[in-house]
Amino acid sequence: MHRETFWCETLVDYSMGKTIAIANQKGGVGKTTTAINLAASLAMNKKRVLLIDADPQANATSGLGIEPKQMSSTIYECLVDDYPMHSAAVSTCVEGLHMVGSRIDLVGAELELINKTDREKVLRRGIEDVKAAYDYILIDCSPSLGLITVNALTAADSVIIPVQAEYFALEGISKLLNTVRIIKSKLNPTLRIEGFLLTMYDARLRLANQIYEELKNHFGDMVFNTVIPRNIRLSEAPSHGLPAILYDPNSRGATSHLQLAKELITKDRVTGKK
């Protein structure tokens, strides 16, 4: 695995919002938990943030206390009907954090996108509508590499890859990296890996530490220093429609995502990307 393939510096205009896809086609690795809590933590750091729920399961939507059935417009309308993204964005329980939510009807969007011109770039065009209004735009991707996820990666400046600290953690990463490589070559030449994020980490387990070391050996500086621990409060928060930082600000789940947000902001400041 050649990390330089993904860690190249490219000319990207970050004077407007930086768009980050959170993706891994392996389910249950903490994508939505990362999306909700990183978005909330960035907002807590006085950043203007938009979270786009690009998963038909709509867990990021309900996890921020928004009832999918009560939304008049969602990411579905933005993709299929070219509905303006700024009109679909709604306020959340976190000041400075807006959301474009999702519903189960997003399942049908892939079929409806097939006949669209430049179907892989529909989401990118929608995001152009709002990019100047936000510092960060996060896209919570579904656990698949279908057309909507391709749209997310085509629209993104970078991608965060959550990796579960368990036995099959690295399974499928090569497939995702190959997809990123294809997207870079054909649709989005400036796409880069923002970082690999170890989730559900338990420092007491030898296996968790081995996986972290294996990630570091393979990907070096592309691995976030912050790790997200297994945390009951972090797991409970979505059922209350709250990010961990509001549900239990002192929990390890909340503090680790704040640390992740600060690591991301610091890296962007140092490299001049924000």
Side-chain angles (χ1 to χ4, degrees):
M1 190 84 60
H2 301 291
R3 74 184 62 154
E4 61 270 17
T5 303
F6 301 101
W7 198 242
C8 58
E9 293 301 325
T10 47
L11 295 175
V12 181
D13 180 9
Y14 290 110
S15 60
M16 296 193 289
K18 180 178 182 180
T19 304
I20 303 174
I22 300 173
N24 190 332
Q25 85 280 3
K26 183 172 168 54
V29 299
K31 284 187 301 296
T32 299
T33 298
T34 299
I36 291 172
N37 289 284
L38 176 56
S41 296
L42 287 167
M44 288 289 184
N45 278 276
K46 307 299 182 186
K47 300 298 182 181
R48 301 166 301 163
V49 185
L50 176 66
L51 175 58
I52 298 173
D53 189 348
D55 187 344
Q57 296 179 79
N59 289 334
T61 303
S62 60
L64 280 172
I66 300 169
E67 173 52 53
K69 292 180 181 178
Q70 294 179 356
M71 291 184 296
S72 59
S73 55
T74 66
I75 189 63
Y76 174 88
E77 284 76 19
C78 295
L79 291 172
V80 174
D81 301 325
D82 298 319
Y83 191 77
M85 193 79 69
H86 70 268
S87 298
V90 297
S91 299
T92 70
C93 53
V94 182
E95 185 178 355
L97 172 58
H98 293 163
M99 161 166 267
V100 174
S102 179
R103 281 194 296 254
I104 189 63
D105 58 4
L106 186 60
V107 169
E110 300 221 354
L111 286 175
E112 298 192 55
L113 283 173
I114 287 174
N115 295 321
K116 271 188 172 278
T117 303
D118 287 335
R119 61 193 180 201
E120 300 89 354
K121 299 179 181 179
V122 176
L123 183 56
R124 177 195 283 180
R125 293 195 295 268
I127 287 175
E128 291 299 320
D129 173 49
V130 297
K131 211 159 188 182
Y134 297 100
D135 298 305
Y136 288 95
I137 299 168
L138 303 185
I139 308 172
D140 181 29
C141 299
S142 66
S144 74
L145 293 178
L147 186 53
I148 294 175
T149 299
V150 169
N151 260 266
L153 293 173
T154 302
D157 300 308
S158 62
V159 55
I160 290 175
I161 303 174
V163 180
Q164 186 179 6
E166 292 194 354
Y167 183 68
F168 291 112
L170 303 181
E171 182 184 82
I173 284 183
S174 292
K175 185 176 180 182
L176 178 60
L177 293 183
N178 188 53
T179 299
V180 170
R181 194 177 288 113
I182 292 169
I183 298 287
K184 275 178 68 73
S185 66
K186 297 184 179 298
L187 295 167
N188 183 6
T190 61
L191 181 64
R192 59 194 289 274
I193 303 294
E194 189 68 46
F196 294 86
L197 175 68
L198 196 63
T199 62
M200 305 178 195
Y201 179 76
D202 187 339
R204 298 169 300 177
L205 299 179
R206 180 186 301 175
L207 178 61
N209 292 295
Q210 287 175 343
I211 290 168
Y212 184 75
E213 290 305 316
E214 191 168 347
L215 275 175
K216 274 289 189 183
N217 288 337
H218 271 292
F219 302 111
D221 292 341
M222 294 166 69
V223 180
F224 283 103
N225 293 322
T226 303
V227 297
I228 307 301
R230 283 195 176 277
N231 180 245
I232 292 174
R233 306 301 273 174
L234 187 60
S235 301
E236 291 174 345
S239 66
H240 295 268
L242 295 169
I245 193 67
L246 293 185
Y247 180 65
D248 187 349
N250 297 316
S251 66
R252 289 189 305 135
T255 56
S256 62
H257 281 95
L258 275 173
Q259 183 179 337
L260 175 64
K262 289 174 180 174
E263 183 177 350
L264 179 62
I265 292 167
T266 299
K267 183 169 71 170
D268 286 339
R269 189 180 298 130
V270 167
T271 56
K273 295 189 176 69
K274 287 303 293 177

